[in-house]
mmCIF file of all heavy atoms in Angstrom:
data_model
loop_
_atom_site.group_PDB
_atom_site.id
_atom_site.type_symbol
_atom_site.label_atom_id
_atom_site.label_comp_id
_atom_site.label_asym_id
_atom_site.label_seq_id
_atom_site.Cartn_x
_atom_site.Cartn_y
_atom_site.Cartn_z
ATOM 1 N N ALA A 399 31.451 -58.712 -43.177
ATOM 2 C CA ALA A 399 30.692 -59.390 -42.159
ATOM 3 C C ALA A 399 31.283 -59.497 -40.825
ATOM 4 O O ALA A 399 30.778 -59.418 -39.781
ATOM 5 C CB ALA A 399 30.140 -60.672 -42.685
ATOM 6 N N VAL A 424 38.937 -53.783 -32.691
ATOM 7 C CA VAL A 424 39.821 -53.410 -33.744
ATOM 8 C C VAL A 424 39.341 -54.070 -35.095
ATOM 9 O O VAL A 424 39.238 -55.350 -35.118
ATOM 10 C CB VAL A 424 41.312 -53.728 -33.542
ATOM 11 C CG1 VAL A 424 42.149 -53.221 -34.743
ATOM 12 C CG2 VAL A 424 41.816 -53.037 -32.285
ATOM 13 N N LYS A 446 26.362 -42.621 -32.002
ATOM 14 C CA LYS A 446 26.942 -41.467 -31.416
ATOM 15 C C LYS A 446 27.555 -41.647 -30.022
ATOM 16 O O LYS A 446 28.277 -40.825 -29.496
ATOM 17 C CB LYS A 446 25.940 -40.397 -31.324
ATOM 18 C CG LYS A 446 25.411 -39.757 -32.760
ATOM 19 C CD LYS A 446 24.614 -38.588 -32.438
ATOM 20 C CE LYS A 446 24.083 -38.144 -33.920
ATOM 21 N NZ LYS A 446 25.198 -37.759 -34.791
ATOM 22 N N GLY A 486 24.034 -31.499 -36.599
ATOM 23 C CA GLY A 486 23.332 -31.323 -37.775
ATOM 24 C C GLY A 486 22.437 -30.061 -37.736
ATOM 25 O O GLY A 486 22.783 -29.003 -37.279
ATOM 26 N N CYS A 550 2.429 -16.976 -11.663
ATOM 27 C CA CYS A 550 2.671 -18.194 -12.338
ATOM 28 C C CYS A 550 4.096 -18.128 -13.053
ATOM 29 O O CYS A 550 4.617 -17.125 -13.342
ATOM 30 C CB CYS A 550 1.770 -18.195 -13.580
ATOM 31 S SG CYS A 550 0.206 -18.967 -13.181
ATOM 32 N N LEU A 584 5.423 -15.834 -21.407
ATOM 33 C CA LEU A 584 6.259 -14.752 -21.866
ATOM 34 C C LEU A 584 5.813 -13.516 -21.063
ATOM 35 O O LEU A 584 4.740 -13.464 -20.563
ATOM 36 C CB LEU A 584 6.106 -14.565 -23.403
ATOM 37 C CG LEU A 584 6.351 -15.773 -24.267
ATOM 38 C CD1 LEU A 584 6.026 -15.461 -25.601
ATOM 39 C CD2 LEU A 584 7.863 -16.012 -24.181
ATOM 40 N N SER A 611 -13.208 9.326 1.040
ATOM 41 C CA SER A 611 -12.087 9.168 0.156
ATOM 42 C C SER A 611 -12.041 7.743 -0.396
ATOM 43 O O SER A 611 -11.794 7.534 -1.601
ATOM 44 C CB SER A 611 -10.773 9.255 1.041
ATOM 45 O OG SER A 611 -10.668 10.567 1.531
ATOM 46 N N ARG A 716 19.708 -5.683 -22.950
ATOM 47 C CA ARG A 716 18.727 -4.774 -23.577
ATOM 48 C C ARG A 716 17.625 -4.286 -22.743
ATOM 49 O O ARG A 716 17.185 -3.125 -22.761
ATOM 50 C CB ARG A 716 18.226 -5.450 -24.870
ATOM 51 C CG ARG A 716 17.248 -4.621 -25.672
ATOM 52 C CD ARG A 716 16.808 -5.276 -26.938
ATOM 53 N NE ARG A 716 15.620 -4.578 -27.468
ATOM 54 C CZ ARG A 716 15.713 -3.398 -28.146
ATOM 55 N NH1 ARG A 716 16.920 -2.732 -28.307
ATOM 56 N NH2 ARG A 716 14.642 -2.754 -28.510
ATOM 57 N N LEU A 822 2.669 7.904 -25.703
ATOM 58 C CA LEU A 822 4.059 7.771 -25.281
ATOM 59 C C LEU A 822 4.863 8.032 -26.463
ATOM 60 O O LEU A 822 4.676 7.354 -27.579
ATOM 61 C CB LEU A 822 4.217 6.367 -24.685
ATOM 62 C CG LEU A 822 3.533 6.094 -23.344
ATOM 63 C CD1 LEU A 822 3.180 4.692 -23.296
ATOM 64 C CD2 LEU A 822 4.385 6.542 -22.203
ATOM 65 N N VAL A 871 -5.534 7.784 -19.262
ATOM 66 C CA VAL A 871 -5.200 8.802 -18.286
ATOM 67 C C VAL A 871 -5.900 8.614 -16.952
ATOM 68 O O VAL A 871 -5.331 8.806 -15.932
ATOM 69 C CB VAL A 871 -5.775 10.133 -18.849
ATOM 70 C CG1 VAL A 871 -5.499 11.204 -17.833
ATOM 71 C CG2 VAL A 871 -5.002 10.543 -20.146
ATOM 72 N N ASP A 928 -2.371 -29.201 31.567
ATOM 73 C CA ASP A 928 -0.920 -29.027 31.674
ATOM 74 C C ASP A 928 -0.604 -27.756 32.280
ATOM 75 O O ASP A 928 -0.664 -26.628 31.642
ATOM 76 C CB ASP A 928 -0.239 -29.057 30.328
ATOM 77 C CG ASP A 928 1.227 -29.250 30.381
ATOM 78 O OD1 ASP A 928 1.857 -28.855 31.349
ATOM 79 O OD2 ASP A 928 1.831 -29.819 29.331
ATOM 80 N N PRO A 945 -1.224 -7.231 25.167
ATOM 81 C CA PRO A 945 -1.558 -6.430 24.016
ATOM 82 C C PRO A 945 -2.620 -5.595 24.198
ATOM 83 O O PRO A 945 -2.679 -4.367 23.689
ATOM 84 C CB PRO A 945 -2.051 -7.562 23.062
ATOM 85 C CG PRO A 945 -1.473 -8.840 23.526
ATOM 86 C CD PRO A 945 -1.298 -8.677 24.903
ATOM 87 N N LEU A 958 -8.074 -4.724 -4.420
ATOM 88 C CA LEU A 958 -8.463 -4.174 -5.647
ATOM 89 C C LEU A 958 -7.692 -4.780 -6.844
ATOM 90 O O LEU A 958 -6.523 -5.371 -6.531
ATOM 91 C CB LEU A 958 -8.183 -2.603 -5.627
ATOM 92 C CG LEU A 958 -6.781 -2.177 -5.511
ATOM 93 C CD1 LEU A 958 -6.613 -0.725 -6.180
ATOM 94 C CD2 LEU A 958 -6.368 -2.018 -4.141
ATOM 95 N N THR A 978 4.088 8.854 -2.104
ATOM 96 C CA THR A 978 4.339 7.427 -2.100
ATOM 97 C C THR A 978 5.808 6.974 -2.064
ATOM 98 O O THR A 978 6.117 5.821 -2.085
ATOM 99 C CB THR A 978 3.656 6.779 -3.304
ATOM 100 O OG1 THR A 978 4.301 7.344 -4.503
ATOM 101 C CG2 THR A 978 2.089 7.034 -3.421
#
Side-chain angles (χ1 to χ4, degrees):
V424 178
K446 295 188 182 298
C550 276
L584 300 174
S611 295
R716 178 175 169 78
L822 293 150
V871 176
D928 193 335
L958 64 154
T978 56

